[in-house]
Amino acid sequence: MSVIVYTENWDGLFKKQTFEIATYASKLAEMLNTDSIAISIGNVAEEELGKLGNHGIKQIISVTDDKLKHFDGQLYTKVIADIAVKESAEVLVLANNNCGKALAPRLSVRLQAAIASAVHELPESVNPFKIKKRVFSGNAVSLNELKTKTKILTLAQNSIDIEEMPEAAAIETYTPDLGDLVSAIEVQETEKQTGKVLLTDAEIVVSGGRGMKSPDNWAPLLELAELLDGATACSRPVSDEGWRPHEEHTGQTGKIVAPNVYFAIGISGATQHLAGVSSSKYIIAINNDKDAPIFEAAQYGIVGDAAKILPQLVEAVKELKSS
Amino acid sequence: MNILVCISHVPDTTTKVKFSENNTKLDTAGIQWVINPWDELSLTRALELKDDAASGVKKVSVAHVGLANTEPTIRKALAIGADDAYRVNAEAFDAHQVAAELAEVIKAGSFDIILCGIESSDYNGSNVGGMLAEFLGYPSVSGISHLGIEQEKVVITREIDGGKQQLTLPVPFVGIVQKGIAKEPRIAAMRGIMQARTKPIHVSEPKAADAQTSVLNFEPPEPRADCKFIDPENPKELITLLQNEAKVI
Ligand SMILES: Cc1cc2nc3c(=O)[nH]c(=O)nc-3n(C[C@H](O)[C@H](O)[C@H](O)COP(=O)(O)OP(=O)(O)OC[C@H]3O[C@@H](n4cnc5c(N)ncnc54)[C@H](O)[C@@H]3O)c2cc1C
């Protein structure tokens, strides 16, 4: 028996979310009286792999194969499922990001394993296996029972604290048996955003809505985000109008984010917007309408004109940084 | 080339959800049902491709797993422009069951491109598309923000963490789409609504796939602390509170 965690890498490096899922898998393994094993696909240096041991991982299975250079759901599923069978995995844990969302359902069919996606805490019980997840875009939580022998979980980002549980993790290399399977996907071109904090990774997000009035008013918002090492975001009408790029749109039909702090500036707080941001630890609302629904979701609020307040916040953060 | 769009029937996104029977069931009283927003966009893109003769798309169908009471949602998809529809007559309890039933429809038909939305706005699973691909043994691509067809091959832009990738791939395949696939959902015109009445809905009985999960109960999300208001004449206080009270900056 084991708990298997699939750890994705970005140009050979792990991210905060990797250590979150490693911590989660190790704590779950404890509940099941078993060990947590990590799978890594691609070139990751031993030193980087070893970091997983800080979070309770007992064994690391490293897979490198030219056929696995680009992400392909079908091939990656084969590799992870084969290892899961070999290690008698009882639970597989993945991040609830693009790759995790692509792999978890395929693995579920292949391993006849029930799935709970975007979970945000450990199971309530492991026998029977009961776990909570958010449903109806954050408007309710459901308690679910997973009834199969093997189970698959994807963990929502930023939902648990990373913990240090040092283990001397053994690294093992594994040669995948891909037979004559080849990827049907031909990658023509990859564009990567560089030098900016990614919206889905950011601890602090500064987001603007229609209350910002015009695309020309964004300078202080961008400055605030930069000073706080944060990312910028916006509401849907703002990206629809072309005031800001589409990648910044958060909400039900945009990106789902869960930073520590989400500044909603000139955003009314429509249910569809909140659906993408309501798991943030702190929501800060700045809005000139004291009855705007965003204040019901916020922990801190300022009723006032964003154009007047933003520059003062920028000043305050500058003072804080220089003190 | 034929496209199948899998559609989910969900409460309108502004619905205030309520539960009944000791919080074990969704209280459906007064709920307005709609096509899942993502699926509506997939359908729109499929129809745009069909409108473009160069794409080679001949037919756009929709498929849904649900009881007869979901037919208004299916008729809506036909009114928007789908040529025909498939309904598996079952109340599905989880994504596994939906995907298993849809796989049967696809195996019995002839579809080249199968489209699913990234998630349904009710149970927020994002699982049907990937499961379907695995049941069928087809390749799948998730996070699709653009889909075109050139010389019998699909041309895709997929969103990856912090960037985009341009790909090509042969059919058949399952595409899981997200924002960007179409700008605005297509709206049914009067003529479409009239035509939809006579378009075929092929109904089949389920092959009785079992659900692997069950919902034991629902509860409201944990209440958040009340909003603490800061004097607009002194917004700097906010930064002080974030530093000393919330300890997040
Ligand atoms: C199917 C569907 C999906 C959707 N998905 C999304 C989604 O993913 N994301 C999303 O954001 N929306 C989504 N929407 C749209 C959503 O319903 C709202 O229309 C949208 O979120 C409103 O954006 P907003 O808050 O920027 O604008 P508004 O609602 O116009 O609010 C602007 C706010 O700014 C305030 N304001 C005005 N002037 C000032 C000022 N000088 N200083 C401070 N505040 C000021 C106003 O009081 C108001 O509260 C969706 C809608 C549908 C139907």
Side-chain angles (χ1 to χ4, degrees):
Chain A
M1 265 206 349
S2 62
V3 172
I4 297 250
V5 53
Y6 168 64
T7 57
E8 185 180 351
N9 72 81
W10 290 263
D11 299 322
L13 299 177
F14 294 136
K15 285 190 189 176
K16 177 170 167 258
Q17 52 170 277
T18 319
F19 304 119
E20 288 172 359
I21 56 173
T23 301
Y24 185 91
S26 301
K27 294 186 98 176
L28 181 58
E30 242 168 58
M31 288 177 82
L32 290 160
N33 279 319
T34 183
D35 289 342
S36 55
I37 302 176
I39 301 178
S40 161
I41 299 181
N43 287 317
V44 182
E46 254 179 47
E47 193 196 336
E48 187 73 7
L49 287 173
K51 289 183 186 166
L52 296 168
N54 299 339
H55 310 288
I57 300 291
K58 293 259 173 67
Q59 188 188 345
I60 297 158
I61 299 179
S62 167
V63 187
T64 47
D65 189 306
D66 254 3
K67 282 189 185 171
L68 302 170
K69 211 168 104 210
H70 289 297
F71 177 73
D72 179 304
Q74 231 174 349
L75 270 62
Y76 275 49
T77 296
K78 168 89 168 74
V79 174
I80 298 170
D82 284 351
I83 297 175
V85 171
K86 175 170 150 287
E87 302 294 341
S88 325
E90 186 164 353
V91 186
L92 275 82
V93 178
L94 296 99
N96 188 53
N97 60 11
N98 284 332
C99 281
K101 281 189 205 171
L103 289 171
R106 294 201 79 123
L107 286 164
S108 153
V109 171
R110 170 104 24 152
L111 297 167
Q112 295 176 348
I115 193 167
S117 29
V119 299
H120 57 274
E121 56 188 40
L122 285 162
E124 210 170 83
S125 72
V126 288
N127 192 17
F129 200 94
K130 293 184 187 175
I131 192 158
K132 283 184 183 170
K133 75 175 289 264
R134 294 193 184 89
V135 290
F136 296 101
S137 306
N139 289 316
V141 173
S142 66
L143 178 64
N144 307 276
E145 183 176 343
L146 307 193
K147 296 189 269 197
T148 49
K149 192 161 156 270
T150 314
K151 291 112 195 150
I152 298 181
L153 307 175
T154 66
L155 179 67
Q157 239 168 288
N158 211 15
S159 54
I160 65 150
D161 294 325
I162 295 172
E163 285 180 32
E164 300 290 326
M165 301 178 261
E167 286 288 341
I171 302 176
E172 176 193 319
T173 53
Y174 172 86
T175 313
D177 171 21
L178 291 168
D180 47 15
L181 234 128
V182 282
S183 176
I185 296 169
E186 272 180 61
V187 175
Q188 311 292 344
E189 202 185 313
T190 306
E191 281 168 51
K192 283 217 171 143
Q193 195 183 321
T194 48
K196 275 212 293 184
V197 183
L198 293 182
L199 181 49
T200 43
D201 289 342
E203 303 275 348
I204 295 183
V205 173
V206 186
S207 185
R210 212 142 47 178
M212 291 290 294
K213 299 283 195 257
S214 143
D216 305 330
N217 296 340
W218 243 263
L221 190 154
L222 301 180
E223 193 177 359
L224 182 63
E226 199 181 320
L227 286 166
L228 293 169
D229 286 325
T232 48
C234 67
S235 68
R236 186 167 95 169
V238 164
S239 71
D240 283 352
E241 294 288 335
W243 292 4
R244 297 294 304 163
H246 280 292
E247 295 79 62
E248 289 196 357
H249 158 194
T250 50
Q252 185 172 51
T253 48
K255 289 211 167 74
I256 297 185
V257 296
N260 278 338
V261 190
Y262 185 84
F263 286 88
I265 305 173
I267 292 177
S268 59
T271 51
Q272 295 96 346
H273 186 81
L274 293 176
V277 307
S278 62
S279 302
S280 308
K281 294 226 169 78
Y282 287 90
I283 294 179
I284 321 276
I286 301 172
N287 197 302
N288 63 1
D289 171 9
K290 70 174 186 4
D291 296 322
I294 189 72
F295 288 119
E296 283 162 35
Q299 286 77 55
Y300 294 102
I302 305 182
V303 179
D305 182 357
K308 288 213 190 92
I309 288 164
L310 262 176
Q312 297 187 58
L313 294 181
V314 168
E315 278 312 306
V317 176
K318 279 188 183 157
E319 279 167 25
L320 174 78
K321 290 202 136 183
S322 61
S323 68
Chain B
M1 202 161 313
N2 298 331
I3 305 183
L4 181 74
V5 181
C6 303
I7 60 173
S8 172
H9 156 94
V10 298
D12 174 51
T13 49
T14 53
T15 305
K16 282 264 171 279
V17 289
K18 290 189 303 269
F19 303 100
S20 61
E21 295 179 38
N22 235 345
N23 283 337
T24 57
K25 292 241 153 48
L26 176 67
D27 180 356
T28 53
I31 287 187
Q32 275 271 49
W33 296 90
V34 297
I35 305 176
N36 183 39
W38 298 110
D39 308 345
E40 211 174 10
L41 290 172
S42 309
L43 176 60
T44 302
R45 182 62 193 149
L47 295 169
E48 285 170 3
L49 286 168
K50 191 186 156 203
D51 289 346
D52 172 10
S55 76
V57 174
K58 294 278 181 294
K59 195 168 149 200
V60 174
S61 308
V62 296
H64 173 69
V65 179
L67 297 175
N69 63 346
T70 62
E71 285 211 358
T73 302
I74 299 175
R75 287 275 171 225
K76 193 179 162 207
L78 294 172
I80 293 169
D83 296 299
D84 63 354
Y86 294 80
R87 178 171 71 81
V88 181
N89 190 31
E91 186 180 0
F93 293 97
D94 70 0
H96 172 260
Q97 217 182 340
V98 173
E101 299 297 350
L102 290 173
E104 293 304 307
V105 170
I106 294 161
K107 282 184 205 156
S110 123
F111 305 102
D112 304 289
I113 298 179
I114 293 114
L115 297 180
C116 291
I118 181 80
E119 69 170 37
S120 67
S121 59
D122 47 3
Y123 295 102
N124 309 122
S126 84
N127 291 327
V128 171
M131 286 181 174
L132 190 53
E134 190 66 25
F135 274 122
L136 296 165
Y138 288 1
S140 55
V141 179
S142 321
I144 300 182
S145 59
H146 173 76
L147 174 78
I149 301 173
E150 278 168 29
Q151 289 148 0
E152 310 270 296
K153 273 199 170 183
V154 279
V155 183
I156 288 174
T157 306
R158 82 166 157 197
E159 304 292 312
I160 53 172
D161 270 329
K164 292 178 188 178
Q165 242 170 13
Q166 319 292 336
L167 328 164
T168 53
L169 113 152
V171 295
F173 97 106
V174 177
I176 298 143
V177 308
Q178 63 154 52
K179 181 183 161 68
I181 188 78
K183 206 164 175 339
E184 286 286 327
R186 199 174 273 202
I187 295 167
M190 202 55 214
R191 191 159 154 260
I193 296 169
M194 301 297 286
Q195 284 172 340
R197 293 190 187 149
T198 55
K199 285 181 180 170
I201 300 181
H202 316 286
V203 180
S204 58
E205 289 306 314
K207 68 156 212 186
D210 286 331
Q212 295 176 328
T213 59
S214 64
V215 174
L216 302 172
N217 62 53
F218 294 99
E219 54 185 71
E222 269 174 45
R224 284 183 170 258
D226 281 343
C227 185
K228 194 172 211 171
F229 285 94
I230 289 125
D231 179 4
E233 296 305 319
N234 184 21
K236 290 185 177 178
E237 175 67 12
L238 171 65
I239 301 301
T240 311
L241 286 170
L242 290 180
Q243 191 196 15
N244 299 329
E245 192 178 81
K247 300 190 169 46
V248 284
I249 60 171

